[in-house]
Amino acid sequence: MNTQTSPSPQFYLTAPAPCPYLAGEMERKVFTHLVGPRAPEMNDLLTQGGFRRSQNIAYRPACESCRACVSVRIVVDEFVPSRAFKRVEAANQDLISTVFPAQPSTEQFSLFRAYLDSRHQNGGMSDMSALDYAIMVEDTHVATRVIEYRLRSPGDGLEAQPKGELIAVALSDMMSDGLSMVYSFFNPALEKRSLGTMMVLDHIRRAKALGLPHVYLGYWVRGSRKMGYKTRFQPQEHLTNRGWERFDVDAEPEA
Protein backbone atom coordinates (compact mmCIF):
# COMPACT_ATOMS: atom_id res chain seq x y z
CA MET A 1 0.00 0.00 0.00
CA ASN A 2 1.28 3.49 -0.89
CA THR A 3 1.10 5.60 2.26
CA GLN A 4 2.99 8.62 0.94
CA THR A 5 1.16 11.95 0.82
CA SER A 6 0.34 13.06 -2.71
CA PRO A 7 2.59 15.96 -3.82
CA SER A 8 -0.30 17.49 -5.75
CA PRO A 9 -3.40 19.00 -4.10
CA GLN A 10 -6.74 17.24 -4.48
CA PHE A 11 -9.57 19.48 -5.68
CA TYR A 12 -13.28 19.16 -4.87
CA LEU A 13 -16.47 20.85 -6.09
CA THR A 14 -19.26 22.12 -3.85
CA ALA A 15 -22.95 21.63 -4.55
CA PRO A 16 -24.87 24.62 -5.99
CA ALA A 17 -26.08 27.19 -3.42
CA PRO A 18 -27.73 30.63 -3.65
CA CYS A 19 -25.20 33.37 -4.47
CA PRO A 20 -24.72 35.83 -1.56
CA TYR A 21 -23.92 38.70 -3.94
CA LEU A 22 -26.20 38.45 -6.98
CA ALA A 23 -29.92 37.70 -6.64
CA GLY A 24 -31.14 34.79 -8.68
CA GLU A 25 -27.71 33.28 -9.27
CA MET A 26 -26.37 29.99 -7.93
CA GLU A 27 -22.77 29.61 -6.85
CA ARG A 28 -20.37 26.67 -6.85
CA LYS A 29 -16.79 26.57 -5.62
CA VAL A 30 -13.77 24.43 -6.33
CA PHE A 31 -11.60 23.97 -3.27
CA THR A 32 -8.58 22.20 -1.83
CA HIS A 33 -6.92 21.87 1.57
CA LEU A 34 -3.91 24.02 2.51
CA VAL A 35 -2.04 21.82 4.97
CA GLY A 36 1.48 20.54 5.54
CA PRO A 37 4.91 22.01 4.83
CA ARG A 38 4.02 23.03 1.27
CA ALA A 39 0.99 25.08 2.34
CA PRO A 40 2.73 28.50 2.03
CA GLU A 41 4.01 27.66 -1.46
CA MET A 42 0.60 26.37 -2.54
CA ASN A 43 -1.13 29.43 -1.07
CA ASP A 44 1.10 31.67 -3.19
CA LEU A 45 0.45 29.72 -6.38
CA LEU A 46 -3.28 29.38 -5.83
CA THR A 47 -3.80 33.02 -4.82
CA GLN A 48 -1.92 34.13 -7.92
CA GLY A 49 -4.27 31.83 -9.84
CA GLY A 50 -7.43 33.39 -8.45
CA PHE A 51 -8.06 31.38 -5.28
CA ARG A 52 -8.86 32.77 -1.83
CA ARG A 53 -8.01 31.31 1.57
CA SER A 54 -10.51 30.61 4.37
CA GLN A 55 -8.93 28.78 7.32
CA ASN A 56 -7.07 25.83 5.78
CA ILE A 57 -9.15 25.86 2.59
CA ALA A 58 -8.27 27.53 -0.71
CA TYR A 59 -11.27 28.09 -2.99
CA ARG A 60 -12.39 29.88 -6.11
CA PRO A 61 -15.75 30.30 -7.88
CA ALA A 62 -16.73 27.58 -10.34
CA CYS A 63 -20.23 28.78 -11.22
CA GLU A 64 -21.89 27.22 -14.23
CA SER A 65 -23.63 30.28 -15.71
CA CYS A 66 -21.90 33.32 -14.19
CA ARG A 67 -18.41 34.84 -14.35
CA ALA A 68 -19.04 37.97 -12.29
CA CYS A 69 -16.41 37.20 -9.61
CA VAL A 70 -13.01 38.56 -10.63
CA SER A 71 -9.77 38.36 -8.64
CA VAL A 72 -8.30 41.82 -7.93
CA ARG A 73 -4.85 42.97 -6.86
CA ILE A 74 -3.45 46.50 -6.41
CA VAL A 75 -0.22 47.49 -8.14
CA VAL A 76 1.59 48.86 -5.09
CA ASP A 77 4.55 50.72 -6.61
CA GLU A 78 2.35 52.81 -8.89
CA PHE A 79 -0.36 53.62 -6.36
CA VAL A 80 -0.80 57.33 -5.64
CA PRO A 81 -3.47 58.23 -3.06
CA SER A 82 -6.25 60.47 -4.33
CA ARG A 83 -7.48 63.48 -2.40
CA ALA A 84 -10.30 61.33 -1.01
CA PHE A 85 -7.79 58.73 0.21
CA LYS A 86 -5.64 61.45 1.77
CA ARG A 87 -8.69 62.66 3.69
CA VAL A 88 -9.20 59.13 5.03
CA GLU A 89 -5.55 58.98 6.10
CA ALA A 90 -5.86 62.37 7.81
CA ALA A 91 -9.02 61.30 9.64
CA ASN A 92 -7.17 58.31 11.07
CA GLN A 93 -3.87 59.87 12.09
CA ASP A 94 -4.76 59.18 15.71
CA LEU A 95 -4.63 55.40 15.16
CA ILE A 96 -1.78 53.05 15.95
CA SER A 97 -1.48 49.67 14.21
CA THR A 98 0.29 46.61 15.58
CA VAL A 99 1.06 43.27 13.93
CA PHE A 100 0.52 40.10 15.97
CA PRO A 101 0.70 36.34 15.32
CA ALA A 102 -2.57 34.74 14.22
CA GLN A 103 -4.08 34.51 17.68
CA PRO A 104 -7.66 35.55 18.60
CA SER A 105 -8.73 37.57 21.63
CA THR A 106 -12.03 38.26 23.37
CA GLU A 107 -11.63 41.94 22.48
CA GLN A 108 -11.31 41.08 18.79
CA PHE A 109 -14.36 38.82 18.96
CA SER A 110 -16.49 41.52 20.59
CA LEU A 111 -15.63 43.90 17.77
CA PHE A 112 -16.21 41.13 15.21
CA ARG A 113 -19.70 40.44 16.61
CA ALA A 114 -20.61 44.14 16.59
CA TYR A 115 -19.51 44.34 12.95
CA LEU A 116 -21.51 41.26 11.89
CA ASP A 117 -24.61 42.33 13.79
CA SER A 118 -24.53 45.74 12.09
CA ARG A 119 -23.38 44.89 8.56
CA HIS A 120 -24.07 41.20 7.91
CA GLN A 121 -27.06 40.11 9.98
CA ASN A 122 -28.25 37.67 7.31
CA GLY A 123 -24.85 36.62 5.99
CA GLY A 124 -23.23 33.21 6.16
CA MET A 125 -21.08 34.26 9.12
CA SER A 126 -23.90 35.82 11.17
CA ASP A 127 -24.12 32.99 13.72
CA MET A 128 -20.39 32.58 14.33
CA SER A 129 -19.44 31.90 17.95
CA ALA A 130 -16.24 32.77 19.81
CA LEU A 131 -14.95 29.29 18.95
CA ASP A 132 -15.78 29.80 15.27
CA TYR A 133 -13.88 33.08 15.31
CA ALA A 134 -10.87 31.48 17.00
CA ILE A 135 -10.81 28.77 14.32
CA MET A 136 -11.05 31.39 11.55
CA VAL A 137 -7.94 33.11 12.92
CA GLU A 138 -5.85 30.17 14.11
CA ASP A 139 -6.61 27.47 11.52
CA THR A 140 -3.84 28.39 9.11
CA HIS A 141 -0.73 26.67 7.78
CA VAL A 142 0.60 29.79 6.03
CA ALA A 143 2.20 33.05 7.18
CA THR A 144 -0.88 34.74 8.64
CA ARG A 145 -0.88 37.81 10.85
CA VAL A 146 -3.49 39.84 12.75
CA ILE A 147 -3.19 43.62 12.49
CA GLU A 148 -4.95 45.57 15.24
CA TYR A 149 -5.85 49.24 14.84
CA ARG A 150 -6.35 51.18 18.06
CA LEU A 151 -6.99 54.75 19.08
CA ARG A 152 -3.67 56.12 20.23
CA SER A 153 -3.44 56.57 23.99
CA PRO A 154 -0.69 58.04 26.23
CA GLY A 155 2.34 55.74 26.30
CA ASP A 156 1.61 54.00 22.99
CA GLY A 157 4.84 53.50 21.08
CA LEU A 158 6.77 52.97 24.29
CA GLU A 159 5.15 49.66 25.21
CA ALA A 160 4.79 46.48 23.14
CA GLN A 161 1.00 46.35 23.62
CA PRO A 162 -0.96 49.53 22.84
CA LYS A 163 -3.71 50.31 25.35
CA GLY A 164 -6.18 52.36 23.27
CA GLU A 165 -9.62 51.25 22.13
CA LEU A 166 -9.60 48.56 19.42
CA ILE A 167 -11.63 49.82 16.45
CA ALA A 168 -10.48 47.70 13.48
CA VAL A 169 -8.79 44.35 12.76
CA ALA A 170 -7.34 42.79 9.61
CA LEU A 171 -6.42 39.14 9.07
CA SER A 172 -3.70 39.06 6.41
CA ASP A 173 -1.46 36.52 4.67
CA MET A 174 2.16 37.27 3.84
CA MET A 175 2.96 35.99 0.34
CA SER A 176 6.06 36.02 -1.83
CA ASP A 177 4.62 38.74 -4.08
CA GLY A 178 2.31 40.68 -1.78
CA LEU A 179 -0.12 40.84 1.10
CA SER A 180 -3.49 39.10 0.85
CA MET A 181 -6.34 40.62 2.86
CA VAL A 182 -8.19 37.53 4.09
CA TYR A 183 -10.80 39.30 6.24
CA SER A 184 -11.22 42.64 7.97
CA PHE A 185 -13.79 44.19 10.30
CA PHE A 186 -14.24 47.39 12.24
CA ASN A 187 -16.43 49.41 14.60
CA PRO A 188 -19.55 50.11 12.49
CA ALA A 189 -20.41 53.18 14.58
CA LEU A 190 -17.32 55.01 13.28
CA GLU A 191 -18.57 55.34 9.71
CA LYS A 192 -16.96 58.75 9.12
CA ARG A 193 -13.50 57.25 9.53
CA SER A 194 -13.92 54.95 6.47
CA LEU A 195 -12.05 52.23 8.36
CA GLY A 196 -12.36 49.65 5.59
CA THR A 197 -10.64 52.02 3.18
CA MET A 198 -8.06 52.91 5.84
CA MET A 199 -7.05 49.25 6.24
CA VAL A 200 -6.54 48.82 2.50
CA LEU A 201 -4.39 51.96 2.42
CA ASP A 202 -2.39 50.64 5.37
CA HIS A 203 -1.78 47.34 3.56
CA ILE A 204 -0.55 49.23 0.50
CA ARG A 205 1.87 51.15 2.72
CA ARG A 206 3.06 47.97 4.41
CA ALA A 207 3.53 46.11 1.12
CA LYS A 208 5.54 49.02 -0.28
CA ALA A 209 7.76 49.10 2.81
CA LEU A 210 8.39 45.35 2.45
CA GLY A 211 9.18 45.64 -1.27
CA LEU A 212 6.15 43.55 -2.23
CA PRO A 213 4.45 44.46 -5.53
CA HIS A 214 0.81 43.59 -4.79
CA VAL A 215 -2.05 43.77 -2.32
CA TYR A 216 -4.66 41.09 -3.05
CA LEU A 217 -8.25 42.20 -2.33
CA GLY A 218 -10.07 38.97 -3.15
CA TYR A 219 -13.03 39.09 -5.52
CA TRP A 220 -14.67 42.06 -7.12
CA VAL A 221 -18.20 41.07 -8.16
CA ARG A 222 -19.45 42.95 -11.19
CA GLY A 223 -22.98 44.15 -10.43
CA SER A 224 -22.62 43.96 -6.62
CA ARG A 225 -22.70 47.34 -4.86
CA LYS A 226 -21.02 46.02 -1.73
CA MET A 227 -17.94 45.08 -3.81
CA GLY A 228 -17.77 48.33 -5.79
CA TYR A 229 -15.25 49.97 -3.45
CA LYS A 230 -12.47 47.64 -4.61
CA THR A 231 -12.12 49.28 -8.02
CA ARG A 232 -11.29 52.64 -6.38
CA PHE A 233 -7.72 51.53 -5.64
CA GLN A 234 -5.90 52.23 -8.89
CA PRO A 235 -3.90 51.03 -10.68
CA GLN A 236 -5.03 47.47 -10.25
CA GLU A 237 -5.00 44.21 -12.15
CA HIS A 238 -7.82 41.73 -12.73
CA LEU A 239 -7.31 38.04 -13.45
CA THR A 240 -8.72 37.18 -16.88
CA ASN A 241 -8.49 34.22 -19.24
CA ARG A 242 -5.30 35.86 -20.54
CA GLY A 243 -3.74 36.24 -17.10
CA TRP A 244 -3.44 39.36 -14.92
CA GLU A 245 -4.38 42.48 -16.88
CA ARG A 246 -4.73 46.17 -16.03
CA PHE A 247 -8.25 47.30 -15.24
CA ASP A 248 -9.38 50.86 -15.90
CA VAL A 249 -12.43 51.72 -13.84
CA ASP A 250 -13.26 54.60 -16.20
CA ALA A 251 -13.51 52.14 -19.09
CA GLU A 252 -15.91 49.81 -17.25
CA PRO A 253 -19.30 49.86 -19.01
CA GLU A 254 -22.27 50.98 -16.94
CA ALA A 255 -24.58 48.24 -15.66
Side-chain angles (χ1 to χ4, degrees), residues 70-75 78 214 216 233-239 243-247:
V70 180
S71 293
V72 175
R73 67 185 186 186
I74 301 166
V75 182
E78 298 178 41
H214 304 119
Y216 288 83
F233 300 91
Q234 298 285 332
Q236 64 181 231
E237 295 175 336
H238 289 191
L239 186 60
W244 288 97
E245 296 184 329
R246 287 295 181 101
F247 173 81

Side-chain angles (χ1 to χ4, degrees), residues 164-201:
E165 179 187 354
L166 180 68
I167 64 171
V169 175
L171 186 66
S172 303
D173 287 347
M174 172 79 74
M175 298 170 44
S176 61
D177 72 330
L179 300 177
S180 178
M181 298 187 68
V182 177
Y183 195 77
S184 60
F185 53 94
F186 51 85
N187 186 334
L190 302 178
E191 187 173 349
K192 291 183 178 180
R193 284 182 175 269
S194 299
L195 291 170
T197 296
M198 179 276 297
M199 284 188 278
V200 176
L201 295 173

